[in-house]
Amino acid sequence: MYLSEILKAITYEKSILYRELQITGLSIDSKHILKGDLYIAFQGNKHDGHLYAEEAVTNGAVAIVCERILPLEVPQIIVKDARAIANFLPAIFYGHPEEKLKIIGVTGTNGKTTTIHMLASILQAAGKNVATVGTLGIKYNHVEIAPDLTTPDPIFLFKNLKDFVAAGVEYVVMEVSAHAIHYQKVIHIPFEVAIFTNCTPDHLDFFENMEVYKRAKERFFSNHICKYRVLNVDDSLGLEMSKKYENVTRYALDTDTDAFAIHIDEGLDGSSFLASYAGAFLDVKLQLIGRHNVYNALSAICCAKLLQIEDKHIIQGLESLQHVEGRLQHIARYKNADIFIDFAHTPDGLEKSLATLRRYCTGRLIVLFGCGGNRDRQKRPIMGEIAAKIADFTIITSDNPRYEEPMDIIEEIEKGFQTISDNYVAIEDRKRAIAYGLDMLQEGDILIVAGKGAECYQEKMGIKHYFSDQTTVLTLIDAIRE
């Protein structure tokens, strides 16, 4: 694409040092520039991209979109809002791949990852070529791209959408985070279906309070292009939105609405229920455990029906999904006790996972968890209190401390825990904490290692060190057995 074509496609205030150039790529990251790229500089949440423009040029950028004139001898396009350009321009640059795909977006505090994998399994059962985009990365055909953000930045996202089209993908099922909505990263994507799972406290370090967070979630359904909306009306925000917007399909467990479930039977080997949709019933069996996964399945059923997928494929897709990585995933049986890993990192997520396992635990329910550093501090004592109320014993440890002292985070969790119980131990080193949990297991116990799920790193002082809860558990068990 030539620079003159970009000038015609966007609104700009002025252009300086203009000369015709072929633009071979787009980037907002000065460190990851290829020769021929257009660098887009804007003020981010933490960093000002203008300060890194010289580095971008040194690394190969041949032109810059920016919000002020920079002392650099390359063509510069001065715009009022460069972030908006970074959200808008990739669609044009990559040939509008979003128009050649059916894209489903899922937002909510919890359940996004499981829901997109349920939908992918349903669509694949129906013979469709599907790509998933979310916390577990990007997957399509035999390609897997490691995760970075829950919702990729627009340049990377649209590049992948173009690759999806070239690979014959028909449907894209993607997670849409609150941050992505706030920064309007997906505002130029026409969603065939937009799904809302729930809204419970999270990211309050960024969104200030629950009202601000709720309104961010709602903007996905009010500001974005979506043909159909699927809303959980057992959630207060979902119920509120269902009264405002058109083309809404409502689902719930506690309310008689467009889609609901009856005869729910749960166990450690999965769940079964009758799903009612538009007066017809589907007999569903899940290999995934927990009442929250019945909600996720209902949202997937509603979406699939709107996409005109046959019931037999819906049932087949849901039944064949064995697990979702790191989501209440059973990974081992040791000393006749069961061990799970789970991504639960919010009060609501931890409570749901513990409550689910509590019902089937014949021995002691033991939970190991921590909280991330430089994130919402309010949830730390709340999660401590939840663990104290539901679990029999808790091991409080380090999660991703980032730039905080791990013991400072642990102490904040302890404050909530100690209001209820003293049945816990604090072990900063996560590997030692897991070893402690394994050592104390007895027949009938359940150990849940929570907070990181399928993550394969632990972030400390800006560096991501390799660490996997699942690998650590299995390696420790193997070492003991030897």
Side-chain angles (χ1 to χ4, degrees), residues 15 26 51 55 79-80 85 113 155 175 227 230 234 240 260 267 294 327 350 359-360 374 423 426 431 447 475 478:
S15 170
L26 307 175
L51 302 178
E55 179 183 41
V79 300
K80 184 176 181 180
I85 300 299
T113 303
I155 294 170
E175 298 181 45
K227 187 173 180 181
V230 174
D234 278 343
E240 176 189 330
F260 57 91
V294 179
R327 270 58 182 179
L350 185 64
R359 289 197 289 273
Y360 314 117
N374 303 106
N423 290 329
K431 182 177 179 180
L447 169 64
T475 300
D478 286 344

Side-chain angles (χ1 to χ4, degrees), residues 25-58:
L26 307 175
S27 181
I28 59 172
D29 187 340
S30 62
K31 296 187 186 314
H32 295 92
I33 292 280
L34 297 176
K35 187 171 178 57
D37 279 359
L38 173 70
Y39 176 64
I40 306 174
F42 54 83
Q43 175 66 56
N45 188 40
K46 295 181 180 178
H47 303 288
D48 183 354
H50 296 82
L51 302 178
Y52 303 94
E54 184 176 357
E55 179 183 41
V57 172
T58 300

Side-chain angles (χ1 to χ4, degrees), residues 172-226:
V172 179
V173 192
M174 63 180 291
E175 298 181 45
V176 181
S177 69
H179 290 80
I181 299 166
H182 173 81
Y183 287 122
Q184 299 191 329
K185 291 182 179 181
V186 293
I187 197 163
H188 298 291
I189 291 180
F191 288 94
E192 189 75 9
V193 184
I195 298 173
F196 171 75
T197 60
N198 49 59
C199 186
T200 60
D202 197 15
H203 305 303
L204 298 186
D205 55 317
F206 183 88
F207 290 103
E208 299 178 14
N209 57 57
M210 276 302 293
E211 189 58 29
V212 174
Y213 181 48
K214 283 182 178 180
R215 298 288 75 90
K217 290 291 187 189
E218 183 180 3
R219 278 196 295 276
F220 182 51
F221 300 90
S222 60
N223 291 0
H224 294 70
I225 305 164
C226 48

Side-chain angles (χ1 to χ4, degrees), residues 325-345:
E325 287 183 67
R327 270 58 182 179
L328 207 54
Q329 181 184 353
H330 186 276
I331 60 165
R333 186 161 175 79
Y334 175 62
K335 296 181 182 177
N336 289 321
D338 292 292
I339 304 167
F340 292 80
I341 59 170
D342 191 33
F343 189 54
H345 62 287

Side-chain angles (χ1 to χ4, degrees), residues 196-198 230-239 249 251-252 295:
F196 171 75
T197 60
N198 49 59
V230 174
L231 307 176
N232 173 9
V233 294
D234 278 343
D235 183 281
S236 60
L237 178 59
L239 181 61
T249 299
Y251 70 96
Y295 275 106

Side-chain angles (χ1 to χ4, degrees), residues 101-349:
L101 298 160
K102 288 190 176 181
I103 305 176
I104 297 99
V106 183
T107 195
T109 307
N110 297 305
K112 296 186 295 294
T113 303
T114 300
T115 300
I116 72 163
H117 284 84
M118 285 180 168
L119 270 168
S121 186
I122 290 169
L123 290 166
Q124 286 163 351
K128 310 299 183 182
N129 195 330
V130 187
T132 56
V133 179
T135 311
L136 298 181
I138 295 173
K139 297 180 182 180
Y140 65 101
N141 295 352
H142 299 293
V143 178
E144 292 191 19
I145 301 173
D148 182 15
L149 299 172
T150 299
T151 308
D153 283 319
I155 294 170
F156 187 59
L157 177 59
F158 277 91
K159 180 184 182 302
N160 276 279
L161 294 181
K162 181 182 178 181
D163 292 343
F164 296 164
V165 172
V169 170
E170 303 164 84
Y171 291 84
V172 179
V173 192
M174 63 180 291
E175 298 181 45
V176 181
S177 69
H179 290 80
I181 299 166
H182 173 81
Y183 287 122
Q184 299 191 329
K185 291 182 179 181
V186 293
I187 197 163
H188 298 291
I189 291 180
F191 288 94
E192 189 75 9
V193 184
I195 298 173
F196 171 75
T197 60
N198 49 59
C199 186
T200 60
D202 197 15
H203 305 303
L204 298 186
D205 55 317
F206 183 88
F207 290 103
E208 299 178 14
N209 57 57
M210 276 302 293
E211 189 58 29
V212 174
Y213 181 48
K214 283 182 178 180
R215 298 288 75 90
K217 290 291 187 189
E218 183 180 3
R219 278 196 295 276
F220 182 51
F221 300 90
S222 60
N223 291 0
H224 294 70
I225 305 164
C226 48
K227 187 173 180 181
Y228 301 109
R229 299 168 177 86
V230 174
L231 307 176
N232 173 9
V233 294
D234 278 343
D235 183 281
S236 60
L237 178 59
L239 181 61
E240 176 189 330
M241 291 192 296
S242 73
K243 298 173 182 177
K244 289 183 180 181
Y245 304 119
E246 297 179 348
N247 298 323
V248 168
T249 299
R250 303 156 183 84
Y251 70 96
L253 296 190
D254 301 327
T255 309
D256 185 355
T257 188
D258 300 325
F260 57 91
I262 59 173
H263 302 316
I264 301 170
D265 185 16
E266 302 175 61
L268 271 182
D269 57 346
S271 308
S272 64
F273 60 94
L274 276 180
S276 171
Y277 182 94
F281 284 95
L282 284 75
D283 190 356
V284 178
K285 292 180 177 62
L286 299 177
Q287 296 188 60
L288 309 182
I289 68 173
R291 186 178 175 88
H292 58 285
N293 278 322
V294 179
Y295 275 106
N296 295 333
L298 277 176
S299 72
I301 289 168
C302 291
C303 179
K305 295 290 282 186
L306 290 168
L307 297 173
Q308 300 186 348
I309 303 299
E310 293 181 35
D311 288 356
K312 64 180 180 181
H313 297 311
I314 295 174
I315 293 168
Q316 180 186 347
L318 290 173
E319 289 184 355
S320 63
L321 185 63
Q322 295 180 356
H323 67 268
V324 178
E325 287 183 67
R327 270 58 182 179
L328 207 54
Q329 181 184 353
H330 186 276
I331 60 165
R333 186 161 175 79
Y334 175 62
K335 296 181 182 177
N336 289 321
D338 292 292
I339 304 167
F340 292 80
I341 59 170
D342 191 33
F343 189 54
H345 62 287
T346 67
D348 181 65

